[in-house]
């Protein structure tokens, strides 16, 4: 009897020790905690801004760090025309524009005012025009020394939905009342002009 009781007791302890089989299939956080890029410059900036976030607790540094983690499509370029328009708003005359991305030239913008810009990268044309107008182009490590809390800066970013690829996103092309662009070879008489495009072929969307 004592042996049987001992065996049952051991079985009970064993059952208590067993864990629960947790389902880990959907346990995934799609928030980036580091950049996927292997670019050493970006990695060093992440190291610097992690320190600044920890020690200053300034919202500017938190936003810059979050944008450094982002993919390239989420860091769209900012043209000189957009930059000029944004920095000409009242109260921004003496401020510095901070862009976590690339600053590109825009030949449609004829006159460039004196601009102070901090960005990850400048195209050669954009840099030349900013410097020629009496402005300056600096990097984020230089900005960290000048304004560790982001004082007197304006954070700007380009249009994320401006890519041509975004025009193809959404409901299927041809569904009534939608403007999704179809993946089609050419826009001609012979391409996608039948069902859904003419009343004589079922319906016209």
């Amino acid at each position: 009897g004592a042996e049987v009781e001992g065996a049952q007791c051991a079985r009970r302890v064993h059952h208590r020790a067993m864990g629960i089989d947790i389902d880990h299939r959907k346990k995934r956080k799609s928030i980036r905690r580091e950049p996927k890029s292997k670019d050493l410059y970006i990695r060093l900036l992440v190291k610097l801004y992690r320190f600044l976030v920890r020690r200053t607790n300034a919202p500017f540094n938190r936003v810059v760090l979050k944008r450094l983690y982002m993919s390239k499509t989420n860091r769209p370029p900012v043209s000189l025309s957009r930059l000029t328009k944004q920095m000409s708003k009242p109260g921004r005359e003496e401020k510095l524009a901070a862009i976590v991305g690339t600053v590109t030239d825009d030949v449609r913008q004829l006159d460039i005012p004196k601009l102070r810009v901090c960005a990850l990268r400048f195209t050669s044309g954009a840099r030349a025009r900013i410097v020629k107008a009496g402005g300056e182009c600096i990097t984020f490590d230089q900005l960290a020394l000048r304004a560790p809390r982001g004082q007197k800066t304006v954070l700007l970013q380009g249009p994320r939905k401006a890519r041509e690829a975004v025009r193809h996103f959404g409901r299927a092309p041809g569904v009534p009342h939608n403007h999704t662009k179809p993946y089609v070879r050419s826009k001609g008489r012979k391409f996608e002009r039948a069902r859904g495009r003419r009343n004589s072929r079922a319906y016209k969307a």
Side-chain angles (χ1 to χ4, degrees):
E3 286 179 13
V4 172
E5 279 179 22
Q8 285 175 345
C9 187
R11 213 174 290 130
R12 264 186 243 118
V13 169
H14 177 67
H15 280 309
R16 276 196 214 112
M18 282 177 68
I20 301 163
D21 191 13
I22 300 168
D23 186 0
H24 294 288
R25 283 177 301 176
K26 292 172 184 159
K27 189 181 163 188
R28 176 180 172 270
K29 287 183 179 147
S30 59
I31 303 164
R32 283 198 181 184
R33 304 199 185 279
E34 62 172 348
K36 281 195 176 180
S37 170
K38 298 287 184 283
D39 187 346
L40 285 176
Y41 179 56
I42 288 178
R43 293 257 166 190
L44 285 168
L45 283 180
V46 164
K47 212 170 184 180
L48 170 63
Y49 274 87
R50 272 180 184 155
F51 170 80
L52 288 173
V53 166
R54 196 170 69 244
R55 297 300 294 271
T56 63
N57 201 28
F60 172 85
N61 292 330
R62 273 203 303 276
V63 175
V64 168
L65 181 63
K66 188 177 78 172
R67 289 185 188 176
L68 284 169
Y69 291 163
M70 286 180 182
S71 62
K72 203 169 181 183
T73 53
N74 286 320
R75 289 189 278 111
V78 177
S79 66
L80 276 182
S81 55
R82 178 178 282 263
L83 189 58
T84 305
K85 185 182 175 183
Q86 291 295 327
M87 296 311 288
S88 60
K89 288 182 178 178
R92 292 184 176 180
E93 297 81 16
E94 298 301 314
K95 292 194 175 180
L96 185 142
I99 297 144
V100 186
T102 306
V103 175
T104 55
D105 192 7
D106 192 345
V107 291
R108 298 168 298 181
Q109 183 72 28
L110 300 176
D111 299 316
I112 299 287
K114 185 180 177 182
L115 295 168
R116 290 160 63 230
V117 190
C118 169
L120 286 182
R121 184 174 156 267
F122 296 86
T123 61
S124 54
R127 185 188 291 275
R129 289 187 72 185
I130 290 168
V131 172
K132 190 178 178 183
E136 64 173 337
C137 306
I138 65 168
T139 54
F140 274 96
D141 48 326
Q142 291 171 312
L143 180 67
L145 291 170
R146 289 192 197 182
R149 298 176 64 87
Q151 311 94 305
K152 293 189 176 179
T153 57
V154 179
L155 254 176
L156 300 174
Q157 60 180 343
R160 292 192 196 180
K161 298 285 177 77
R163 294 187 304 135
E164 199 277 334
V166 178
R167 294 181 184 188
H168 299 283
F169 299 168
R171 298 169 71 201
V175 174
H177 314 299
N178 95 323
H179 302 283
T180 308
K181 187 178 181 181
Y183 289 106
V184 65
R185 248 187 313 163
S186 177
K187 190 171 181 176
R189 175 186 58 81
K190 299 188 287 184
F191 304 97
E192 299 198 358
R193 288 283 179 271
R195 189 173 186 277
R197 293 294 183 185
R198 285 184 287 172
N199 284 323
S200 62
R201 302 288 183 273
Y203 71 99
K204 185 178 187 302

